Every structure is written in C-alpha cells, then in structure tokens.
Amino acid sequence: MLRLSTTLSLLSLASLSPHHPRRLVRLRALAPAASSSPSARSLCLLEWGKVCRAVASFAGTAHGREATEQLWGVEDVSYERSRRLLQETEAAVRLLGTSGGSFDFSGLDTVTVEAAIQCVSGGSVIKGQEAMAVVSLMLFVESLQVTIRAAMRQDEESHNLLMPLTETILEAVVNKSLVKSIQDIIDDDGSVKDTASPELRRYREQVQSLESRLCQLMDRLIRNSDSEASLSEVSIVNGRCCIKVTGDKSLSFDGLLLSSGSDAGSMIEPIVAVPLNDELQGARALVARAELDALSKLTDKILLELDNIQILLQETITLDKVTARAKYSIAYDGTLPDLYLPKFEHETVNTATDWPVSATSSAQLPKKPWKVFIPNAFHPLLLQQHQENLRRIKKDVASATAEIRRRRIYGQDIAEEDQLASDLDSMKNRVSKLERNHPIPVDFMIGEETTVLVITGPNTGGKTISLKTVGLASLMAKIGLYILASEPVKIPWFDAVYADIGDEQSLTQSLSTFSGHLKQIGAIRAQSTSQSLVLLDEVGAGTNPLEGAALGMSLLESFAEAGSFLTLATTHHGELKTLKYSNDSFENACVEFDEENLKPTFRILWGIPGRSNAINIAERLGLPLDIIESARHLLGTAGAEINALIMDMEKFKQEYDEQLQQAQHYLMQSRELHNNLEVAQKNVMDHTIAQRKRKSRVVSEYAVMARSIIHKKFQQFRESAIAQRVLEEERAVEKAKSERVKGPEPSSTSAIKMAQNTNSSMATEANDEDGGIPEVGDLVYVPKLKNQATVVKIDSSKNEVQIQAGMMKLKLKLKDVVIQKRRISR
C-alpha cells in the first residue's frame, strides 16, 4: 500500500512545471532542425556548436555533458541570467583552485541513478547496481559538502561568492542510515550479500553443497568411463550439470540426451545426476527468491527517500555543468569578463568603466571609454586544435621514448631502434614547430562612440577569424564562460549575434552568392535591435565593384543609424574606408601585411584603413616592369596618392606604437624605481625604530641589573650589621653570666641592663623595619629564654608562633619573640 501511494505521488510530481525544484529534468541537446532563423544560422556559421561540445567534454557525468550541450538556448539568456552564470563560474573556479580533486564527477553514474529513480517510482524492485549508484551519489554529495564548507570558511569573500552556487547542495540531507542499509545488503559489484538475510545464507550454502556433490559425481563418472571410447568434459546446459561426450562407442553410465551435434558432441545428463540437478534448480530458485525479498525491502526504504535522491541528482548535475564551464575556462587560461548592459539615453551609449589604451601594458595610461576591450583574444577553436595537436604529438614522443628504452633494456634489434630514434627526432621537431606556431591573438579596442567598424586588408589576413573571435567571445560571456584573452576584458551583453560569413549560394533556391548574402543581410537587418551584434564578411562582394561598394555603404550607414549596437564588417571596397571621415559612428581598422615576406602578420591596426597591395606584391613577385607601370597608370594618380597617404599613416602609427611602448617601458621603470625608493625609505625607518627600541631595551636591562645589585649589597650590609649586633649581645650576655657567678658588681649589673636595652632596641628596630611578623625559617630572639631560635610554624589567627631552640620546641606569642635575621632567600 505504501508503494502504491508513493508511486501516485511521484506521477503527480512529474506533471509539475519544468522549473519545479523537485523534478528531475533531463536536458537534451537541441539540434537546429533546418531553422530559417538568422540567429540560428549565425550560430552555425560561427561554429558555436563545436565550442559547446568542447565545454561539455569537461563534464564528468553523462547528464552533465548533455546539459552543457545546449547549443541553441543562448538566445533566451537574459542579462541577469548571464551575470548569474558568470558568478557561478567564478565560484567554481575558486572551488577548483582550493580543492580541485574533490570536484571529479567522472565516478558518478547518473544514468544508473536515474534508472533507479524510474524503477522505484514505477513500482519495480531496484537492482543491486542501481542501489550502489545511489550510494555513490549520496557519498559524493556528502564529500562535496565537507569540501565546500571548508572553502567557505577561508574568508568572507569566499563565503559570499560560493553561497549562491552551493546553497542548495549544502542544504541537501544525506540519509546515512539508508547508505548503511544499502551497503549492508549490496556488495560493491552490485550483488546481494550473504548477510542480507539468514534464509539467503542458508540457501546459498545449500547450492554450494549441491554443486560440490555434482562435481564429485561427474568427476567419478568421467574417470570410470572408457577414455578410448569418448572424450568427456563437464558442461552446463540450462543450469543443469551434464557431460559432453564425443565418439560413437557406448558409455559406462545411463543418461538423458539433452542435445547432440556432429561437431559439438552430445550433451548427456547422467540418470544418477538428475535428482541432484533437480534439487540444485530448486535451491537456486530459493536463492533468487531470497535475493528478491532483500531487494524488495531495500526498495521500500529507498522509496521513502526518493524525493531527496532526485534533488541530490539534479543539484549534482547542475554543479557538474557549472564545473565544466570553470574547467574549460581554466584549461584555456580565460579571463573573467566585465559584462555590462548598455543604457541608451537619447541614442547615446552610457558606459561607466574606463580602461587603459594599450592592451599590452599594465601601466595606467590616460583613460578612454571603451565599448569593447578584449586584449590578446584567441579564437577558441583554433586554440583548442593547437593544444590538442601539441598534446597528441607530445604523447607520441613519450611513447617512442619509452619504446626505445624498452628495446635497449631487452637488447632487441638495433636497426629498428635506429629507425625509432629517427622517428623520435622527427616528432620532436614537429613539437618545436607547433610550439613556435602558436595561434596569434588579436586585440579588439573599440571606442564608445563607434557603431560600425570597417576592417580592410588582404585575403588570408585574418579578417574573418577576427569577426568569429568577437562573435564567439560575446556568446561565451553570455552563457557564463571566461573569454580566452588577457586581463582586463570589457564586453557588452548582446541580445543576439547575427553573422553573414562565407558562401551563401543556394542551388535549391536558385540564388547566387550575391543573392544569398543579400537575403541573409536583409533578414539580419529586419531582426537586429539596438542591443545586437552584427558581423558582416565581405560586404558588397559578388557583384559589380561600383554597385557593390554603393550598396555596402548604404547598408553600413543603415546599421549605423538604427540597425544594431555594434556592427563589424570586412570589405575589399576602398570606398567604404571613407565613411569614417563623414560619419563619427564609423571607425577603420586593417589587418597588417608584411611586404618583405609577402604574408600577413594577423595583427589589427586600429584607426588605419587598409591599402591595396596587389601592384606592390606583383612587382616583388617579378612581374615585368612595363605591366607594373601600366597598371599604376590605369589606377590613376588619385589612387596612388591615397596609397601613399595610407603608407604614411601606417608609418606614423608604427612610430606612435613604438614611442608609446617606449613611454610605457619608462613609466613602468619609473614606477618600479619609485616603489623601490619607498621600500628603501620604509626599511630605513623600520631599522631606525628597531635600533631605538633595542637601545631602550638594553638600557632597561642594565638598569634592572643595577637595581638588583644595589638591593643585594644593601641586604648583605643589613644582615652583616644585624649579625654584628647579635654577636655583641651574645658577648654581653656571656660576660654578664660570668660576672653573676663571681658576685654582683655595679658595673656588671649596669652592663647587663645595657645589653638588654641594646637587644630591646635591636628587636624594636627589626620589628619596625619588617612589620614585626616573622616568617617560617626566620631567626628570632626569645627574651624569656635569653637565647636564639628558629621559626617553625606561624598561627596568625591566634597570634602564636612555634619556635625551635636546639632540641626544644615551644609555642609563644608573637610579642614574645624578636626578629633578628630574615631568610636569605628573601
């Protein structure tokens, strides 16, 4: 009854909204089903799907990879969602930095866990492997909670950063009693343990006993058979133990023929083994029933925790997806972008952040508001391909090195070793070549006032790659990925990215390349908004140059007025370069070309229009001079003057860059010297303060020593004075005694009185000096005894003191003793 009611509740739960936190939503990658949407086609042109698959490869679970491959859901991501995704990725990067090993999701079998949930919710009995998959999930979540709490305790910033990402999983409850129940019943391999129930243990022991008896019986029958008549071996057919016989002669035992064949031989079940086989089959059925009973009881326990298991699974998949984004960002050395939402006030862009002009310097230069600032940006697919090729070749080098070492150890063929060594050298050369030919990054520094950027330059110069790099960077920031560039990175949030790149020729629609481009651009123009990014490759190409240039100018002016937030266009038409000088919304840039080596450098020069290199390249390639001169004459004086002007601009730009780099270098040096000077001044002040403190401490120590010496000398002097007085008193007493024996004499009597007065004055002096209260161990004078004694015990409540004089101990009042000498320890 419990199973039925819980199943009904789970069915009702499955009908809730997809956003319900307790529903396990299995995400699947969506394919562009022949969509005619310009945005979907643009994602295909930018190869966005390959980037998403690259990110998904860092996920550890099947569901995590599946959730990461949401190729076409980027359009529905709002600005707030993008900011949240970036914060999640930043938090995951922080977690991986502190405890990366704890975030390995590859050991989780989420598919089996999902199968277990479906099995239990459908009223079926769970399998052993499914139960162990649930245990692995719960133990992994418990380990995650410990790791996350340790990371959050490090500092306040870590706590605030990680809390939004990990709040749900930290609140998740892991039922340890359920984990123990499953581990007590199911073994690591998914089988039911003998300890699951007493009946199961008894039935399995019975099965083992029957199998042992059958083996002994079969072995005895085979040994007693005629070896020349047949070749026999024990086999299992449908769970029954039988003997496989080959040959035509008769056997020494009766049996039942289970199967026969000319090649495979005959399977015969001996008559004497039939009862044992029947009993074994029954015992196995009892074992299966006992296992089913144990699993059924375990299923009831899991059913009570099914909602919590669903939450654990969903949160684990979500964290795996976020961790995949973080691992991808770390693997390719990405930078957390400053993603901002442009605010439009009277058609002017309001951005608050200022950034340094140079992308290659960390010096703080005069500030300028940037719309896009991405220094040293890499195309993610090119960087991925380069790293994969380098990793593969390095692996081959390691394998070849290990093989050569193995052959040398075992002394194998020297000729083959020489060939391997030659191959190894070749592979090492390929590694060095790949390391030198690292993908070249591109700087993007687009001012706030720029709406349309026109990039010119030769073919194969990197214009198209530059467009794709910007488009992919904006998409990566939108879904919470770091941008593969240097710090700092500033990029706007785009509601959509539209691209017209490549050949749009369509034979099915009878469209030429030019017509295909026009159709795509028209759709982009209709759907782009003031928050869109538009990428146009080779504007106006594919038709008459004059008409193409005019149409391209008109299109770009349309995008500048009200078409998009930012438009990047590449072109070969020189007329498009002049738009900058009539419209402040335009900016020029060009890809640099090395005329000495006749190849592009893949660098972008900002603020400079590209010039024509065809005639100069033809001249360097050795084309006849008369053809070169004729071409220049046909080009006209104006074209030559424009090219000369552009050459001067490029020269001034290069000189400016060199001087700027030199100024930055000097600025950095001056800052470094200034910092060193401040450090030196601080060290001098610290040393001076330390010397003063040391001198003060030394003087204080010597003063203490001097006071101690003076005190000791004073004590010694006082003790010697008291001892001298006591000695004189003793002499006076002795003299008085001797005179008393001889007879009273006036002089003697007066001497005794004088000694008593002296003792009284000494006692009064000592009592006045030390407070009149002796301590244990003090030497006192007892007038009644007329002798010295040592204080043994003091009773302050009764004003009594116990003294010892020789062998005699007495108790006296404090007033009856006079302190003569304090303990030396005082």
Side-chain angles (χ1 to χ4, degrees), residues 129-141:
Q129 292 180 345
E130 294 173 349
M132 290 308 297
V134 172
V135 168
S136 298
L137 173 66
M138 300 176 78
L139 293 178
F140 181 78
V141 170

Side-chain angles (χ1 to χ4, degrees), residues 192-202 290-291 293-294 297:
V192 181
K193 293 182 178 180
D194 293 341
T195 56
S197 67
E199 294 81 5
L200 179 59
R201 178 188 292 275
R202 185 170 65 252
E291 290 178 350
D293 290 340
K297 294 178 182 179

Side-chain angles (χ1 to χ4, degrees), residues 153-165:
R153 283 195 298 267
Q154 291 183 356
D155 53 63
E156 182 96 9
E157 182 183 359
S158 297
H159 183 277
N160 297 334
L161 185 65
L162 300 176
M163 179 53 70
L165 174 62

Side-chain angles (χ1 to χ4, degrees), residues 422-563:
S422 176
D423 295 340
L424 179 60
D425 293 337
S426 176
M427 286 186 286
K428 288 182 178 179
N429 291 332
R430 290 174 60 192
V431 170
S432 301
K433 185 177 179 181
L434 266 179
E435 289 177 342
R436 289 194 303 269
N437 295 334
H438 194 275
I440 300 175
V442 182
D443 296 330
F444 290 98
M445 296 171 287
I446 303 175
E448 184 184 81
E449 69 282 354
T450 301
T451 304
V452 178
L453 176 67
V454 179
I455 304 176
T456 55
N459 291 329
T460 70
K463 299 192 301 297
T464 304
I465 291 296
S466 299
L467 292 185
K468 291 185 175 181
T469 301
V470 175
L472 291 175
S474 63
L475 293 172
M476 291 169 69
K478 191 173 183 180
I479 67 163
L481 285 171
Y482 282 19
I483 293 179
L484 309 188
S486 302
E487 295 183 353
V489 171
K490 176 182 178 181
I491 192 169
W493 177 87
F494 297 107
D495 60 356
V497 177
Y498 299 100
D500 176 46
I501 300 174
D503 189 0
E504 289 296 322
Q505 187 179 32
S506 175
L507 298 179
T508 59
Q509 300 182 26
S510 301
L511 295 177
S512 64
T513 300
F514 180 70
S515 301
H517 279 293
L518 286 183
K519 184 178 179 181
Q520 175 73 353
I521 293 175
I524 291 174
R525 180 65 184 83
Q527 295 192 11
S528 61
T529 68
S530 58
Q531 290 184 330
S532 300
L533 172 64
V534 176
L535 308 173
L536 304 177
D537 191 26
E538 300 298 345
V539 178
T543 186
N544 180 278
L546 294 178
E547 292 182 341
L551 185 60
M553 293 176 69
S554 178
L555 282 171
L556 293 183
E557 287 177 343
S558 174
F559 279 108
E561 291 175 1

Side-chain angles (χ1 to χ4, degrees), residues 200-267:
L200 179 59
R201 178 188 292 275
R202 185 170 65 252
Y203 295 150
R204 283 184 173 173
E205 290 175 352
Q206 184 179 354
V207 168
Q208 292 176 359
S209 175
L210 291 172
E211 288 177 347
S212 176
R213 291 171 58 188
L214 272 172
C215 288
Q216 294 175 3
L217 176 62
M218 294 299 177
D219 184 59
R220 187 169 62 252
L221 291 174
I222 291 174
R223 286 201 310 268
N224 293 337
S225 65
D226 187 1
S227 60
E228 296 180 356
S230 62
L231 299 174
S232 305
E233 62 180 18
V234 178
S235 300
I236 303 296
V237 177
N238 296 327
R240 302 182 72 84
C241 192
C242 60
I243 296 177
K244 180 180 178 181
V245 179
T246 58
D248 298 332
K249 294 186 179 181
S250 60
L251 298 173
S252 60
F253 58 86
D254 296 330
L256 302 175
L257 180 62
L258 300 182
S259 65
S260 63
S262 57
D263 297 330
S266 301
M267 298 296 179

